[in-house]
């Protein structure tokens, strides 16, 4: 019994010990598991939850990524002539850390790169020594030849740490042509100003990327890994702009700036009246978008140099030095912004008498007046409700007038009464419908909408209503943009439809697919077609009988309206109102079926030229010259009357070898006369020679066996001569004159310019183009 009990107790002790061991093991297992939980959770976090983050971090530590710039789209004119394109260039950069790791000879590298890139070697050494940076650009936009030289140097000397990365550089083949319209790209290849900015999202494309591996010393590991994500090229943009029309517009504006010593530049526009397509848009002075940071205006540049010299004359760090430098930087910024600014759509100005076109169209369409309405102008009139005496530009007055004469004479008194007959409510409603209180919607950035009266100012006769209404009728005391004016006058002559102007006709992608196509958009009808036809007839008489005779071009029917406006809100340093004027003319052609409208405005012609400052004397002939250049190019047929045959250009054919009868028949068909010299029956020579241009009605000498004289004569100075005097002077020397501009035979119509300079030796029979302008007082 005692032994059994002992064995039982021993078994129980062993059993108790085993249970205790199991509990200890279980506890240890639990504690072990609990000890690994944080590790497991951390591993889960690293491997699952934050996998993307850490794998990306590891990838960045093991790889080097280089962006590949997308090819920026090309900008074309309407004839697919390139206005802006991108060419491949390269940026050169140093990796100072890599240079150090590879034990490169930094001074030698600096000297070699300085020689190739035409840079300062000391500056390059500074960039190479900055090991805190992995990317130190030392040159941007190097061409292929320079890039090849650098590669050859790297390979010959087995250097690591000099890199070239592809880039794209913008190039503008026409330089300053249409600069404010096209705009430019900045240092980051982003569009700034003009079409480059407005259509940047289409032009820019999507950048690509090259990824390569690098070792723990940050150096590239060749042939180990490379991944390439191709860039997506930008879309091409096709403009409505015509480079030839743009060149013609800018050329004649430049001539006018020089001729009239225009102090504040000029702006102009050519547009299709029926569609709103902009064919040309110019602001002079301009700039070259290939070098957009450089100030192009010599006078502005001289002023900036003066400011710079002034602050540099003070001790560096002084208050005067800092103030002068700040003033210089501010002036540079202002000068750049000024030359980049597109005045046609961004700047408001007082349109002056060109606005009378809208006033008369509104009055005729509303029934306030008709063609037989009578007016009387005695030069000045006190209109009830207006505190100031209202003056007409012609102090002696125009006397009795009907509606047509009021427009031809640009009579302020008559137009004040036209507005009063309409009333402020009707006047304001029509002007609003003409789009004067709204932006035109042109597809360019930076457009403003001008400043016009509140409706109360022209409808409430107790609160300046009469003054605002009468002044507004002839385009004073408010501001609109040139584009607003041209759009509104287009509606007057195109059948009454207000169009939305546009500069981009189509956007196409790299595969040639159309991404965006723009079509003419009618905003609303403003006046009736009948009123439009009437206004076309009236506007043509302004050129044939009124203040715009200087805009006439032989063979073309042109209409339009002159304008001369004062800058009533511009004051000099003494607080006195300046006497500066903007002279302008809006021309339309052809008047039997209007297609094109041209505006030119000259800002502040100089009084020192002695030429009367007015739109009729200065802007009208400028627009006439533009019309003479572009209308034949645009396919508008010339139709010559007997009166303007002297302005017809005839290119002489080669008549040598023809019989007298054959040659005479050809000349008669061309509206020319033939005079024979000699007795034979076959033409052996002619004056002028074949290919020369002569005016219609000219006499051509046909030599029949006789030798023509080989005489040279000096071109006379025709300036200031009237038609008769110029014809006599040319005839006495055996020269021909081609009449351009005002074709009137009045004594006040004189030569303003000649195509061949006075004193030039030319063969007998040479044709000289003379531009005639009436310089008497015309508005």
């Amino acid at each position: 019994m005692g032994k059994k009990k002992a064995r039982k107790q021993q078994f129980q002790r062993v059993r108790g010990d085993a249970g205790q061991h199991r509990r200890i093991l279980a506890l240890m297992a639990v504690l072990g598991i609990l000890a690994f939980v944080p590790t497991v959770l951390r591993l889960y976090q690293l491997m699952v939850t934050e996998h993307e983050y850490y794998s990306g971090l590891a990838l960045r530590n093991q790889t080097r990524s280089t962006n590949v710039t997308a090819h920026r789209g090309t900008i074309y004119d309407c004839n697919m002539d390139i206005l802006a394109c991108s060419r491949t260039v390269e940026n050169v950069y140093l990796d100072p850390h890599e240079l150090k790791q590879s034990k490169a000879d930094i001074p030698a590298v600096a000297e070699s790169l300085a020689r190739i890139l035409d840079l300062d070697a000391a500056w390059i050494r500074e960039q190479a020594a900055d090991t805190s940076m992995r990317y130190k650009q030392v040159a941007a936009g190097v061409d292929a030849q320079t890039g090849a030289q650098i590669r050859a140097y790297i390979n010959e000397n087995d250097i690591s740490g000099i890199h070239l990365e592809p880039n794209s550089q913008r190039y503008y083949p026409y330089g300053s042509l249409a600069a404010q319209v096209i705009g430019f790209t900045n240092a980051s290849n982003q569009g700034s100003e003009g079409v480059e900015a407005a259509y940047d999202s289409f032009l820019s494309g999507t950048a690509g990327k090259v990824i390569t591996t690098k070792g723990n010393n940050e150096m590239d590991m060749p042939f180990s890994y490379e991944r390439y994500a191709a860039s997506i090229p930008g879309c091409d943009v096709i403009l409505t702009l015509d480079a030839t029309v743009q060149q013609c517009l800018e050329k004649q504006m430049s001539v006018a700036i020089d001729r009239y010593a225009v102090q504040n530049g000029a702006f102009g526009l050519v547009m299709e009246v029926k569609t709103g397509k902009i064919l040309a848009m110019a602001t002079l002075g301009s700039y070259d978008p290939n070098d957009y940071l450089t100030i192009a205006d010599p006078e502005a540049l001289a002023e900036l140099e003066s400011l710079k010299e002034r602050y540099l004359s003070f001790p560096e760090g002084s208050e005067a030095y800092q103030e002068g430098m700040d003033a210089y930087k501010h002036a540079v910024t202002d000068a750049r912004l000024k030359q980049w600014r597109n005045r046609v759509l961004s700047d408001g100005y007082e349109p002056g008498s060109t606005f009378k076109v809208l006033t008369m169209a509104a009055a005729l369409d509303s029934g306030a007046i008709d063609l037989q309405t009578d007016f009387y102008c005695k030069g000045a009139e006190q209109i009830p409700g207006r505190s100031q005496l209202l003056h007409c530009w012609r102090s002696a007055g125009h006397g009795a007038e009907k509606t047509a004469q009021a427009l031809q004479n640009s009579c302020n008194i008559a137009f004040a009464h036209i507005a009063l007959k309409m009333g402020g409510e009707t006047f304001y409603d029509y002007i609003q419908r003409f789009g004067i209180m709204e932006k035109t919607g042109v597809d360019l950035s930076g457009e403003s909408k001008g400043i016009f009266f509140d409706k109360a100012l022209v409808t409430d006769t107790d609160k300046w209503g009469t003054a605002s209404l009468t002044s507004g009728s002839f385009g004073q005391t408010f501001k609109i943009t040139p584009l607003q004016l041209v759009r509104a006058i287009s509606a007057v002559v195109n059948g009454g439809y207000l169009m939305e102007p546009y500069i981009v006709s189509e956007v196409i992608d790299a595969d040639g697919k159309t991404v965006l196509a723009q079509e003419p958009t009618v905003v609303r009808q403003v006046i009736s077609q009948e009123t439009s036809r009437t206004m076309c007839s009236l506007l043509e008489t302004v050129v044939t009988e009124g203040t715009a005779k200087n805009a006439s071009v032989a063979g073309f029917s042109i209409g339009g309206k002159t304008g001369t406006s004062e800058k009533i809100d511009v004051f000099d340093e003494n607080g006195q109102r300046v006497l500066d004027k903007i002279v302008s003319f809006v021309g339309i052609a052809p008047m039997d079926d209007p297609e094109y409208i041209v505006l030119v405005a000259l800002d502040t012609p100089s009084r020192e030229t002695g030429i009367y400052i007015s739109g009729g004397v200065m802007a009208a002939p400028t627009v006439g010259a533009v019309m003479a250049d572009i209308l034949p190019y645009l396919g508008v047929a010339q139709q010559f009357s007997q009166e303007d045959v002297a302005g017809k250009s005839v290119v002489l054919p080669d008549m040598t070898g023809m019989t007298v009868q054959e040659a005479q028949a050809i000349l008669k068909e061309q509206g020319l006369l033939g005079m024979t010299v000699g007795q034979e029956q076959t033409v052996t020579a002619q004056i002028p020679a074949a290919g020369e241009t002569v005016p219609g009605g000219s006499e051509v000498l046909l030599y029949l066996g006789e030798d023509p004289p080989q005489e040279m004569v000096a071109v006379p100075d025709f300036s200031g001569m009237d038609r008769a005097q110029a014809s006599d002077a040319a005839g006495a020397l055996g020269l021909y004159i081609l009449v351009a501009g005002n074709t009137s035979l009045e004594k006040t119509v004189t030569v303003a310019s000649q195509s061949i300079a006075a004193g030039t030796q030319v063969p007998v029979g040479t044709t000289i183009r003379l531009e005639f302008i009436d310089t008497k007082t015309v508005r």
Side-chain angles (χ1 to χ4, degrees):
M1 286 294 293
K3 290 182 180 179
K4 287 184 178 179
K5 185 176 182 181
R7 282 197 297 270
K8 183 177 182 180
Q9 289 175 343
Q10 184 179 5
F11 176 74
Q12 288 176 344
R13 282 198 301 271
V14 172
R15 188 176 176 186
D17 290 342
Q20 186 175 3
H21 285 312
R22 283 196 296 271
R23 286 194 295 272
I24 291 172
L25 289 173
L27 180 60
M28 289 176 65
V30 170
L31 291 175
I33 291 171
L34 290 176
F36 278 100
V37 165
T39 303
V40 171
L41 291 176
R42 181 58 176 159
L43 288 172
Y44 181 85
Q45 181 183 22
L46 293 174
M47 300 177 68
V48 179
T49 307
E50 298 181 357
H51 174 266
E52 294 295 330
Y53 170 76
Y54 285 102
S55 62
L57 191 62
L59 188 63
R60 285 195 295 274
N61 287 334
Q62 299 168 28
T63 61
R64 176 177 284 118
S65 175
T66 304
N67 286 333
V68 179
T69 305
H71 179 82
R72 190 172 178 86
T74 300
I75 299 176
Y76 296 94
D77 84 336
C78 63
N79 298 311
M80 299 306 288
D81 288 330
I82 295 175
L83 300 177
C85 59
S86 294
R87 52 189 181 186
T88 301
V89 293
E90 291 180 295
N91 297 336
V92 182
Y93 72 92
L94 305 178
D95 185 334
H97 187 76
E98 192 174 352
L99 285 169
K100 183 179 180 180
Q101 289 283 339
S102 63
K103 296 181 172 56
D105 186 347
I106 301 299
V109 167
E111 290 293 338
S112 298
L113 289 180
R115 184 179 63 257
I116 297 172
L117 297 170
D118 192 23
L119 294 173
D120 179 40
W123 178 78
I124 295 178
R125 283 198 302 272
E126 289 179 11
Q127 309 311 304
D130 185 7
T131 55
S132 64
M133 302 287 289
R134 298 304 309 269
Y135 183 101
K136 299 289 288 188
Q137 182 171 297
V138 294
V142 302
D143 57 29
Q145 184 178 357
T146 304
Q149 285 182 270
I150 295 173
R151 283 190 179 84
Y153 172 73
I154 294 171
N155 293 332
E156 289 169 6
N157 295 277
D158 193 24
I159 296 174
S160 296
I162 304 174
H163 301 278
L164 292 95
E165 59 181 358
N167 200 1
S168 180
Q169 185 181 64
R170 209 62 168 157
Y171 175 61
Y172 303 89
Y174 285 93
S176 63
L177 187 76
Q180 290 83 5
V181 177
I182 300 169
F184 56 87
T185 58
N186 59 25
S188 300
N189 208 31
Q190 293 178 320
S192 296
E193 306 293 333
V195 173
E196 292 277 29
Y199 284 81
D200 186 64
S201 60
F202 291 101
L203 289 162
S204 58
T206 304
K209 187 174 290 187
V210 176
I211 301 173
T212 56
T213 55
K214 60 184 179 180
N216 58 6
N217 60 356
E218 295 291 329
M219 297 179 65
D220 285 338
M221 297 175 63
F223 314 116
S224 60
Y225 173 83
E226 182 173 278
R227 185 176 179 182
Y228 178 73
S231 60
I232 301 174
C235 297
D236 294 336
V237 173
I238 303 171
L239 307 186
T240 60
L241 204 77
D242 188 311
T244 300
V245 176
Q246 183 77 26
Q247 287 173 323
C248 292
L249 175 63
E250 292 193 17
K251 178 187 73 174
Q252 297 301 343
M253 287 169 60
S254 295
V255 169
I257 287 173
D258 292 339
R259 180 182 297 169
Y260 307 119
V262 177
Q263 299 172 38
N264 295 323
F267 49 87
L269 177 67
V270 181
M271 192 174 83
E272 291 184 359
V273 300
K274 296 176 181 177
T275 66
K277 286 183 181 179
I278 296 171
L279 302 184
M281 181 185 285
T283 300
L284 301 182
S286 193
Y287 69 99
D288 185 350
N290 292 300
D291 190 16
Y292 61 90
L293 293 177
T294 297
I295 307 303
D297 181 4
E299 292 186 7
L301 193 58
E303 290 179 9
L304 290 172
E305 286 300 318
S306 177
L307 285 174
K308 187 176 182 179
E309 290 175 6
R310 192 178 308 162
Y311 86 75
L312 288 175
S313 66
F314 297 109
E316 187 173 353
S318 66
E319 184 177 347
Y321 178 93
Q322 188 61 46
E323 289 178 354
M325 184 172 64
D326 291 343
Y328 167 74
K329 290 180 178 179
H330 183 74
V332 169
T333 299
D334 287 347
R336 286 171 178 166
L337 291 174
K338 181 180 179 181
Q339 70 180 14
W340 299 340
R341 191 173 181 84
N342 187 341
R343 297 181 66 182
V344 175
L345 55 89
S346 295
D347 285 8
Y349 79 115
E350 290 195 2
S353 294
T354 55
F355 195 80
K356 292 172 180 173
V357 177
L358 307 185
T359 302
M360 180 161 283
L364 287 169
D365 196 67
S366 65
I369 62 169
D370 58 33
L371 295 179
Q372 300 305 314
T373 302
D374 293 308
F375 305 95
Y376 189 84
C377 171
K378 55 185 179 182
E381 183 177 337
Q382 185 64 62
I383 293 179
R386 182 185 172 101
S387 60
Q388 293 178 320
L389 189 67
L390 178 61
H391 293 273
C392 189
W393 66 268
R394 186 176 183 180
S395 58
H398 294 103
E401 305 169 290
K402 288 193 180 295
T403 300
Q405 289 73 46
L407 187 63
Q408 293 163 15
N409 296 331
S410 194
C411 178
N412 289 349
I413 302 295
F415 271 86
H417 283 285
I418 289 173
L420 291 171
K421 287 177 182 292
M422 266 196 294
E425 191 86 31
T426 301
F427 175 74
Y428 190 91
D429 288 347
Y430 268 94
I431 299 309
Q432 191 171 42
R433 286 161 61 186
F434 273 121
I436 298 303
M437 286 79 153
E438 64 192 34
K439 293 182 180 181
T440 66
V442 67
D443 50 335
L444 286 171
S445 56
E447 183 185 14
S448 63
K449 65 175 183 178
I451 303 171
F452 200 75
F453 311 118
D454 289 334
K455 190 170 186 177
L457 281 179
V458 292
T459 57
D460 188 347
T461 56
D462 294 330
K463 294 182 179 180
W464 305 100
T466 299
S468 297
L469 177 60
T470 52
S471 295
S473 70
F474 47 81
Q476 298 285 4
T477 65
F478 64 88
K479 290 185 175 184
I480 60 175
T481 67
L483 186 57
Q484 284 180 305
L485 178 69
V486 167
R487 178 173 80 144
I489 294 180
S490 294
V492 171
V493 299
N494 70 5
Y497 300 98
L498 189 70
M499 306 301 296
E500 184 176 281
Y502 62 104
I503 195 74
V504 171
S505 61
E506 189 177 6
V507 177
I508 56 177
D509 64 17
D511 297 324
K513 297 178 181 178
T514 298
V515 176
L516 174 70
Q518 300 207 90
E519 299 292 337
T521 302
V522 177
V523 179
R524 55 183 166 269
Q525 185 164 7
V526 183
I527 60 174
S528 69
Q529 292 190 3
E530 181 182 356
T531 301
S532 179
R533 286 192 293 269
T534 300
M535 285 301 301
C536 286
S537 298
L538 292 174
L539 288 168
E540 186 173 8
T541 67
V542 176
V543 175
T544 57
E545 304 174 44
T547 60
K549 291 179 181 178
N550 288 332
S552 60
V553 179
F556 295 111
S557 58
I558 295 175
K561 185 69 192 74
T562 55
T564 306
S565 59
E566 299 174 351
K567 299 181 179 180
I568 64 170
D569 60 347
V570 180
F571 300 88
D572 62 20
E573 63 274 10
N574 299 314
Q576 300 297 311
R577 183 177 293 166
V578 300
L579 299 176
D580 296 351
K581 294 181 179 179
I582 295 179
V583 298
S584 61
F585 180 70
V586 180
I588 305 106
M591 292 314 295
D592 56 341
D593 185 18
E595 293 285 345
Y596 306 104
I597 184 168
V598 180
L599 164 69
V600 168
L602 309 174
D603 190 347
T604 316
S606 174
R607 286 174 163 73
E608 296 179 2
T609 62
I611 302 173
Y612 182 75
I613 297 176
S614 77
V617 172
M618 296 175 170
T622 304
V623 171
V626 174
M627 292 285 197
D629 285 343
I630 69 172
L631 293 180
Y633 166 76
L634 293 171
V636 179
Q638 286 179 282
Q639 297 178 343
F640 293 94
S641 64
Q642 192 62 37
E643 289 75 19
D644 59 19
V645 70
K648 179 181 180 181
S649 299
V650 180
V651 179
L652 287 177
D654 186 356
M655 292 174 284
T656 56
M658 295 182 183
T659 65
V660 175
Q661 292 78 13
E662 290 172 338
Q664 292 283 20
I666 288 175
L667 292 175
K668 183 177 181 181
E669 185 180 348
Q670 297 288 340
L672 303 172
L673 302 174
M675 176 177 284
T676 59
V677 180
Q679 301 299 319
E680 297 184 10
Q681 294 301 307
T682 302
V683 177
T684 56
Q686 65 185 71
I687 292 180
E692 290 289 327
T693 300
V694 296
S698 296
E699 188 176 82
V700 179
L701 297 178
L702 302 174
Y703 288 86
L704 310 176
E706 299 281 340
D707 292 328
Q710 302 296 319
E711 186 179 355
M712 301 289 286
V713 295
V715 175
D717 185 355
F718 291 100
S719 58
M721 294 184 184
D722 59 29
R723 278 277 295 279
Q725 293 169 331
S727 181
D728 290 344
L733 296 171
L735 302 175
Y736 295 85
I737 60 170
L738 182 64
V739 176
N742 196 323
T743 58
S744 172
L745 296 175
E746 294 180 14
K747 293 291 184 181
T748 56
V749 178
T750 58
V751 176
S753 66
Q754 57 191 78
S755 60
I756 302 177
T760 305
Q761 292 288 322
V762 297
V764 170
T766 298
T767 298
I768 301 165
R769 184 181 184 274
L770 302 180
E771 183 182 3
F772 288 85
I773 293 176
D774 189 348
T775 56
K776 70 182 180 182
T777 303
V778 291
R779 199 64 170 171

